[in-house]
Amino acid sequence: MLRTGNNRIGLVARRTFSTSTRHHEGLRIGYVPEHFSTPLHFAKKHFRLDASLVPFPAGTGHMVQALKASELDVGIGLTEGWVAALGKHGKQAGFKLVGTYVETPLCWAISTGAKRDIASIEQLRGKKAGVSRIGSGSYVMAYVLAQQHGWLDSSAENPFEFVPLENFKNLRAGVNSGQADFFMWEHFTSKRYYDNGEIKMIGEIYTPWSSWKIVARDPTDKRLEIMAQRLNEGIAYYNDSKDEAVEYISTELDYSRKDAQEWTKTVQFPKDVRGVDPGEIDKTIGILGKAGVLDASLSQSGDMIGIKRATRAHPS
């Protein structure tokens, strides 16, 4: 078992990995190259995080595929995307939840084309929803939106026609061309394109759970403990270095300085990323079950979690 404190590893993990050269190599960590990745960048830049950072601009759904294909060891992505994949694929998903990367909810902006005659959420029922991939966070949250508005209760039909468009750029183009009627993406990532008139916002929705989790193909991999320490250091540095964070976000990523500054006021990272709260995953399963994303009766948090937060990094 993994245990916290001075990089202590239980006897099982030591026996399993003492002869494995794979575990002496750097981790392959998938991440979304947005503002939330700033502490990860600091962990690599300032605290010698031994990892290859692999960007996935298409988001969590693409990382799910890469993890299943053994192309990644770790993924940092959206809670709803991970839980939906685990609920659908079970053990065949090829990963488990091992950490909490962001404590605060995510604000999903709901966008359409700048010149489209869609002005409110009420007009979206039955429309074409642009998503990055089937099973992605943008796909899952569309069902949560439908559930909140009662569009799943009166008909067995899908509330939307889903149009996979792979990435944020294609989604913006899709709502302007008519290929899709609307899409959902993180608020501050979308805001620049409201400001320049490319798309318009018709609403927003917050996740009812903390927004980002860490998953790993092998929860007993002893490199996860060192990774967690480096991420914790990166987060502490971020908290103490907001000016450097804003500079990085506004020069290396697709955000204005003002938006980067405003975003830092809305997000809270944990002091310790290790472990996941089973109660929060139970809540997520329940909501996603009501939204029709997974079968809540067949989905258990204990099957999804590899490292429980309540016991501070003990594999379940």
Side-chain angles (χ1 to χ4, degrees):
M1 289 184 172
L2 288 172
R3 293 189 294 174
T4 60
N6 298 322
N7 210 22
R8 292 177 294 174
I9 311 295
L11 293 176
V12 173
R14 282 201 293 267
R15 284 199 302 268
T16 304
F17 298 113
S18 61
T19 60
S20 173
T21 58
R22 177 173 66 87
H23 290 265
H24 297 289
E25 301 171 354
L27 290 164
R28 299 166 297 170
I29 301 177
Y31 74 102
V32 182
E34 295 177 356
H35 42 358
F36 288 97
S37 67
T38 305
L40 176 65
H41 164 74
F42 286 159
K44 180 77 169 178
K45 179 180 180 181
H46 297 300
F47 300 102
R48 306 180 312 280
L49 172 64
D50 183 15
S52 298
L53 304 185
V54 185
F56 283 79
T60 307
H62 194 187
M63 275 189 279
V64 168
Q65 296 176 355
L67 286 157
K68 289 182 70 175
S70 302
E71 296 169 357
L72 293 173
D73 302 301
V74 172
I76 302 176
L78 296 175
T79 302
E80 54 269 25
W82 298 137
V83 174
L86 287 163
K88 180 178 180 180
H89 301 293
K91 293 181 179 179
Q92 301 305 314
F95 61 84
K96 286 195 173 186
L97 297 156
V98 299
T100 301
Y101 183 65
V102 177
E103 298 282 15
T104 41
L106 188 72
C107 179
W108 288 84
I110 307 168
S111 304
T112 190
K115 298 181 179 180
R116 301 291 297 276
D117 60 357
I118 300 172
S120 69
I121 293 175
E122 286 68 30
Q123 293 176 265
L124 299 181
R125 185 175 186 177
K127 298 292 188 180
K128 293 179 290 185
V131 299
S132 55
R133 278 174 169 75
I134 300 300
S136 67
S138 55
Y139 172 85
V140 170
M141 287 304 297
Y143 274 97
V144 175
L145 178 72
Q147 191 271 331
Q148 288 187 0
H149 286 267
W151 298 340
L152 298 176
D153 300 332
S154 59
S155 173
E157 297 180 358
N158 286 333
F160 313 111
E161 176 187 344
F162 290 101
V163 183
L165 293 172
E166 296 188 355
N167 57 49
F168 183 41
K169 180 179 179 181
N170 291 348
L171 288 164
R172 300 196 311 270
V175 292
N176 280 303
S177 69
Q179 189 175 5
D181 295 311
F182 76 98
F183 71 90
M184 303 168 68
W185 211 258
E186 193 272 336
H187 171 78
F188 282 100
T189 310
S190 305
K191 186 176 180 299
R192 167 171 288 201
Y193 301 94
Y194 301 144
D195 293 343
N196 70 14
E198 182 177 338
I199 55 176
K200 66 179 178 180
M201 185 173 76
I202 54 176
E204 61 186 23
I205 180 174
Y206 282 84
T207 59
W209 44 73
S210 65
S211 52
W212 294 76
K213 297 290 186 292
I214 304 168
V215 301
R217 284 183 51 78
D218 182 359
T220 64
D221 187 335
K222 63 184 180 182
R223 295 174 297 175
L224 298 179
E225 176 67 19
I226 300 173
M227 178 196 74
Q229 292 174 8
R230 299 294 176 261
L231 284 177
N232 290 343
E233 291 171 323
I235 287 169
Y237 186 89
Y238 162 86
N239 288 331
D240 292 335
S241 310
K242 294 294 177 62
D243 288 344
E244 184 177 341
V246 169
E247 180 68 18
Y248 170 72
I249 294 167
S250 61
T251 58
E252 299 297 326
L253 303 173
D254 193 18
Y255 303 87
S256 70
R257 182 174 294 274
K258 181 180 179 181
D259 287 348
Q261 290 170 334
E262 288 301 311
W263 172 77
T264 63
K265 300 174 185 178
T266 69
V267 65
Q268 180 181 345
F269 294 92
K271 292 182 178 180
D272 190 346
V273 301
R274 291 171 289 191
V276 174
D277 179 5
E280 184 181 29
I281 301 306
D282 286 332
K283 177 182 178 181
T284 306
I285 290 170
I287 293 171
L288 295 186
K290 290 179 181 178
V293 174
L294 50 75
D295 186 338
S297 68
L298 301 177
S299 302
Q300 304 294 327
S301 61
D303 297 330
M304 297 182 177
I305 298 174
I307 298 178
K308 294 180 180 179
R309 200 174 204 184
T311 52
R312 305 312 298 161
H314 280 254
S316 58

